[in-house]
Amino acid sequence: MSRTIAPSPLTAEAFAAYGDVLEVAGDPDKIINQGMCGRHHDRAKLDFGTGRAGISLFDAKARSLPHVVDMVERHPDGSQAFIPLDGVPMIVVVADDNTGTPVNLKAFISQPGQSINLHRGTWHGVLAPLGKAGRYAVVDRIGDGPNLEEHWFEDPWTVEAAATG
């Protein structure tokens, strides 16, 4: 059985139920460093439960469309932010939760300059740089105990290539 998802552009409004879109947009909240820097302040809800914040670096291989999604995962004890270091866009797959099962998958394509922060417990696809390999700073929970749940689909999903014409 073939199940497909049409990707959408990544916007703060469309992504709000799953996390935060981090990007420089609009006027800064504060001007700092003797007027030479605009600070866009506190743009993500970071949540590490009983753990602590950690910053890791990921080096991810390129993906392309169509992109097969055979598994999603979630982190019940903390949020997880992905910040591209090379400006490489990402395929971002998220899902709603129905009593422990991911449902209603959605796919987004980020633009250069956009990062994401997934809320605690949000089902999501794996890190998927689009078109070329990418490096990412990842801010997530460091602590004792398991903080990963995986769900493997019997019938995988496919994120389609965007329609052209």
Side-chain angles (χ1 to χ4, degrees):
M1 177 178 179
S2 176
R3 302 188 295 175
T4 60
I5 310 166
S8 300
L10 181 63
T11 65
E13 298 77 21
F15 197 68
Y18 309 101
D20 311 297
V21 175
L22 312 174
E23 60 188 329
V24 173
D27 294 331
D29 300 294
K30 299 177 184 183
I31 302 297
I32 60 173
N33 298 340
Q34 297 82 36
M36 300 298 288
C37 182
R39 179 176 174 148
H40 297 261
H41 185 69
D42 197 20
R43 297 296 168 119
K45 181 184 178 196
L46 301 177
D47 176 2
F48 306 113
T50 60
R52 64 175 176 81
I55 300 175
S56 303
L57 299 176
F58 287 22
D59 188 5
K61 293 183 179 181
R63 308 295 179 109
S64 61
L65 295 175
H67 172 66
V68 175
V69 179
D70 55 2
M71 185 272 292
V72 292
E73 61 185 38
R74 66 179 174 177
H75 309 284
D77 292 333
S79 58
Q80 189 174 46
F82 293 90
I83 304 164
L85 300 176
D86 302 319
V88 176
M90 300 176 281
I91 304 167
V92 180
V93 174
V94 292
D96 297 323
D97 180 72
N98 182 11
T99 62
T101 300
V103 296
N104 302 323
L105 273 70
K106 293 178 181 66
F108 300 94
I109 304 296
S110 71
Q111 296 301 306
Q114 289 183 316
S115 301
I116 61 166
N117 177 60
L118 296 161
H119 291 162
R120 178 199 288 216
T122 297
W123 289 110
H124 63 89
V126 298
L127 179 57
L130 181 57
K132 63 181 182 176
R135 296 175 302 160
Y136 298 81
V138 177
V139 181
D140 61 0
R141 180 186 179 275
I142 306 296
D144 293 333
N147 187 30
L148 174 66
E149 294 177 17
E150 294 179 341
H151 179 88
W152 291 85
F153 295 107
E154 188 171 314
D155 295 316
W157 291 84
T158 300
V159 180
E160 303 171 323
T164 59

